[in-house]
């Protein structure tokens, strides 16, 4: 694995390798990298979890993290992404983790760049490290993907998390269901009511409404969205005993999920954050190992 750009590029074997390595790291295994690698995190969109989690993961496997402040970088002076990344390569970096607003921003980096590129989210495109940490969370819980009923609910067409997970989970044998208002279904065949889904789901994965990606900002009522598409306290009571709740966060409490459910027994929302560090250690280690 030279880069990590989209879940569509990963083989099933590569996915399982990363999940197994994440488990090994969680069990206390140390990094087997032979040298110190230099990495930088280029975040051109807001982030709390992903940026901090990558930095923690990088440090835990012995990388040197070179500070990069997107808001004060030469991109604000008109420099292209290609020239910025090429510059960091010439300075001596081994890998860059990038989050940007444009879908598939990484296409301009595919030739001429030798530093490894890890996509930490491209617009409404993909978010592969989130998907891998979600897969890790599901595998830890159920030990398998085949036959699980997984409902992804929310702003499907604008969500890079939904798109990354849809591809990966279907390939791994899960039955993936989508639930959203009609205008957010995009190319997905979606349900528009919880009726057939709440009682059969093993995993309910909620998504934040991506207001920042809506071209037309229609009026939006948090209360009616919560009543129609959110996970309310009443709906949670209808879930299977073994079913879990996931959300990539940030959570908008009482919109996509009732505030009281965020840390309820079946919620794995904060556990996902913890799992993210091991998963990102596994991603970076796998990529850097190939460069040694
Ligand atoms: N943190 C996730 C992302 O960057 C989910 C979200 O922002 O709603 O896509």
């Amino acid at each position: 694995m030279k880069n990590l750009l989209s879940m569509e590029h990963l083989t099933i074997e590569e996915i399982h390798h990363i999940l197994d390595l994440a488990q090994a790291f969680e069990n206390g295994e140390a990094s087997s990298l032979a040298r110190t690698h230099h990495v930088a995190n280029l975040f051109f969109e807001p982030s709390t979890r992903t940026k901090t989690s990558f930095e923690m993961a990088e440090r835990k496997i012995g990388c040197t993290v070179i500070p990069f402040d997107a808001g004060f970088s030469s991109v604000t002076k008109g420099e292209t992404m290609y020239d910025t990344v090429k510059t960091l390569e010439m300075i001596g970096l081994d890998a860059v983790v990038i989050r940007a607003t444009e879908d598939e921003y990484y296409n301009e980096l595919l030739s001429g760049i030798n530093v490894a590129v890890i996509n930490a989210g491209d617009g409404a495109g993909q978010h592969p490290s989130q998907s891998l940490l979600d897969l890790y969370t599901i595998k830890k819980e159920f030990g398998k993907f085949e036959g699980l009923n997984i409902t992804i609910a929310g702003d499907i067409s604008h969500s890079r998390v939904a798109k990354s997970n849809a591809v990966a989970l279907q390939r791994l044998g899960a039955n993936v269901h989508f639930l959203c208002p009609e205008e957010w279904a995009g190319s997905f065949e979606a349900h528009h009511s919880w009726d057939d889904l709440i009682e059969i789901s093993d995993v309910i994965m909620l998504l934040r409404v991506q207001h920042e990606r809506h071209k037309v900002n229609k009026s939006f009522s948090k209360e009616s969205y919560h009543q129609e598409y959110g996970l309310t306290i009443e709906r949670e009571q209808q879930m299977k005993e073994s079913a879990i709740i996931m959300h990539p966060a940030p959570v908008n409490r009482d919109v996509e999920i009732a505030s009281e459910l965020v840390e309820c027994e079946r919620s794995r929302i904060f556990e996902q954050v913890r799992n993210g560090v091991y998963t990102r250690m596994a991603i970076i280690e796998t990529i850097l190992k190939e460069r040694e």
Side-chain angles (χ1 to χ4, degrees):
M1 217 167 97
K2 216 172 145 251
N3 302 304
L4 176 63
L5 305 175
S6 165
M7 288 307 284
E8 289 172 20
H9 302 160
L10 290 184
T11 63
I12 297 290
E13 290 70 37
E14 284 171 327
I15 293 176
H16 282 300
H17 167 78
I18 289 170
L19 303 187
D20 291 346
L21 188 54
Q23 183 67 71
F25 282 136
E26 183 166 5
N27 293 345
E29 197 166 300
S31 161
S32 62
L33 290 174
R35 67 172 176 91
T36 303
H37 295 258
H38 305 292
V39 301
N41 301 307
L42 286 55
F43 277 66
F44 298 96
E45 268 193 357
S47 173
T48 296
R49 272 151 296 274
T50 307
K51 186 166 188 279
T52 320
S53 175
F54 264 113
E55 186 159 339
M56 179 63 105
E58 290 152 2
R59 289 175 190 273
K60 282 187 152 198
I61 57 168
C63 295
T64 299
V65 184
I66 305 296
F68 180 91
D69 188 337
F72 285 90
S73 71
S74 290
V75 171
T76 63
K77 300 180 186 170
E79 187 170 59
T80 62
M81 182 78 89
Y82 178 92
D83 290 343
T84 301
V85 174
K86 192 77 199 170
T87 300
L88 295 174
E89 181 179 318
M90 291 303 131
I91 287 170
L93 268 80
D94 297 287
V96 289
V97 176
I98 305 178
R99 168 172 290 187
T101 310
E102 302 78 38
D103 285 20
E104 298 185 20
Y105 67 81
Y106 48 77
N107 283 339
E108 68 171 295
L109 307 176
L110 293 180
S111 67
I113 296 289
N114 297 310
V115 68
V117 178
I118 298 167
N119 179 13
D122 60 300
Q126 286 271 314
H127 194 346
S129 69
Q130 177 71 45
S131 176
L132 287 161
L133 80 86
D134 290 342
L135 297 181
Y136 182 56
T137 304
I138 295 169
K139 193 169 176 193
K140 265 172 70 177
E141 192 73 36
F142 298 98
K144 60 164 192 176
F145 299 99
E146 299 79 17
L148 291 178
N149 280 305
I150 301 187
T151 298
I152 306 182
D155 190 354
I156 310 283
S157 62
H158 300 100
S159 167
R160 51 198 178 202
V161 177
K163 288 175 197 156
S164 314
N165 276 328
V167 180
L169 286 164
Q170 280 163 345
R171 284 171 64 211
L172 288 162
N175 307 313
V176 187
H177 313 276
F178 303 96
L179 168 73
C180 63
E182 217 164 311
E183 65 269 30
W184 295 344
S187 57
F188 293 87
E189 223 172 275
H191 294 245
H192 305 300
S193 137
W194 281 101
D195 288 348
D196 302 328
L197 298 174
I198 195 80
E199 286 170 3
I200 62 153
S201 298
D202 297 293
V203 177
I204 289 184
M205 186 183 291
L206 302 159
L207 303 169
R208 181 180 63 86
V209 179
Q210 309 278 299
H211 293 290
E212 72 275 28
R213 303 194 203 286
H214 293 178
K215 298 223 167 63
V216 195
N217 277 318
K218 287 206 305 182
S219 68
F220 176 78
S221 156
K222 292 177 180 177
E223 291 74 25
S224 43
Y225 180 84
H226 185 61
Q227 282 317 316
E228 263 189 88
Y229 299 101
L231 189 63
T232 58
I233 292 174
E234 298 70 41
R235 288 190 181 116
E236 188 271 338
Q237 286 163 357
Q238 293 169 259
M239 288 173 70
K240 273 189 191 176
E241 209 180 311
S242 57
I244 61 166
I245 300 167
M246 296 175 65
H247 191 311
V251 171
N252 283 166
R253 287 172 180 256
D254 293 325
V255 183
E256 57 269 14
I257 178 168
S259 184
E260 294 88 327
L261 298 179
V262 171
E263 290 189 75
C264 72
E265 214 179 306
R266 58 164 98 247
S267 168
R268 298 292 177 271
I269 298 175
F270 285 105
E271 184 63 23
Q272 285 172 264
V273 178
R274 188 210 309 276
N275 291 338
V277 176
Y278 302 119
T279 310
R280 292 186 171 109
M281 288 168 74
I283 293 168
I284 305 164
E285 169 116 350
T286 303
I287 289 174
L288 292 179
K289 197 110 197 134
E290 254 194 57
R291 299 173 64 88
E292 289 188 333

